[in-house]
Amino acid sequence: MKLISSFLCMLCISFPAFANDIEQAKPWLERLSTSLKTLNYSTSFVVVKNNQAEPYHWLHGVDDKQQELEILAQLNGPRRDVLRRGNTVSYIEPEQDAYSVSSAYLSGPIPAIFSHDIEALESSYRFISVGRSRVLGRVAQVIRIVPKDSHRFDHWLWLDQQSGLLLKMAIITRQGQLLEQVQFTHLDVTNDIAESLKQLQSAELPSVSDVGIQNQQDELFWHVSWLPQGIEIIKSSRRRVNNDKTVEFILLSDGLVEISVYINPSNIQQRPIEYASDGATAVFSQIVDGLEVSVVGKIPLETAKMIADSVGPVATNSQ
C-alpha cells in the first residue's frame, strides 16, 4: 500500500469527499470509445519506458461519408507511417515494400479496444473511477482498468473531461510500480479533418495482402493448455525457417493485452531460462526436452513462464 500511496501522491489525484460522488467508470470508457471513433483530432504523445521516450504524431478524422481516416507516425529513427482509410491499414517504411492489410484499427501504443466495445473486457477486468487530475492543463477523469487476477497489469487512464479523449495512460504493477506510460503532449479537436487526412482520402494505397487476415488458424503440432481467464487464441500459423526449421506462432489476446508465443524444436535438450523486460513487455524463453518456447507480451514474467510451461503436443485421435 505504501508504494501505491506514493504513486497516487505523485499523480496529484484529488478524491471526492464521499464515494457516491465518484462518477461511474464504464460510461467514461464508453465515451472514450465514441470520441476516438467520431471526433476529428490531432495529437502528439510520447511512450516512456526504461528512461527513454519515443514520440508519435496521431491524426484522426471522419469524412463526409462517415469513413474513418487515421495517420500514426513514429517521429524518431527511420520514418514509419501507418495509414488507415476505413477498413484498410497501410504500412509505409523506408527500404521496405509498402503493404496494406484489412483491419478496422491501427496497431500502435494505444490499445485498439479503447475505440471498440469495452464490454469485451468485463469478464477479466474491473473498471474503477479514481478521481480527477490535471493533464495538459485540462481537467482529467482518472479510470483504472484492474485485472481480476494477478496475471496481468493495471492500466490507468486519464480522460479529458471536455472531449472524452485520452490524455495519459500508465501501466502499473499490482504493487504500484510504474512500468510504462503514454503521455500526450498536444491535443487539438477540430470541426474539420486535417489536410493530411484529406489527401489520404484520394491517395493510392498498396493493395490488401493476406498478411492481416484475422482469426487465421493453421493446424499446429503444439498447443497452450493454460491461459488466464479471458485470453483467447486470435490466430496461429506454422512457418518453415531456413528450410530446416519449423516455427509455430500463436497470437493470444484478451482485447487489452496481446501475447505472442513462438514454438519450435531445438537441437539443444535443455537451456537455462532467458528473460528480460522492456517497460511493461516481458520477453521469456526456455528450452525443455528439446522444445524452445518464447513468450512476449505486456504481462508479468511469472505469467509468461506459466504460459510457456503449459505448452505441450496436440493430442491426436488414434483408432
Side-chain angles (χ1 to χ4, degrees), residues 251-269:
L251 178 65
L252 311 167
S253 179
D254 62 4
L256 182 59
V257 175
E258 288 191 350
I259 305 166
S260 298
V261 182
Y262 303 89
I263 308 165
N264 62 273
S266 172
N267 294 328
I268 303 172
Q269 282 299 301

Side-chain angles (χ1 to χ4, degrees), residues 168-206:
K168 184 177 178 180
M169 180 181 76
I171 302 179
I172 313 293
T173 69
R174 297 178 73 87
Q175 294 74 35
Q177 178 187 1
L178 175 63
L179 298 175
E180 186 172 320
Q181 67 178 334
V182 175
Q183 172 69 63
F184 283 72
T185 57
H186 164 263
L187 171 63
D188 274 341
V189 180
T190 59
N191 292 326
D192 299 320
I193 63 175
E195 187 62 34
S196 298
L197 296 178
K198 292 179 181 178
Q199 296 175 13
L200 177 59
Q201 285 180 291
S202 57
E204 183 176 349
L205 300 178

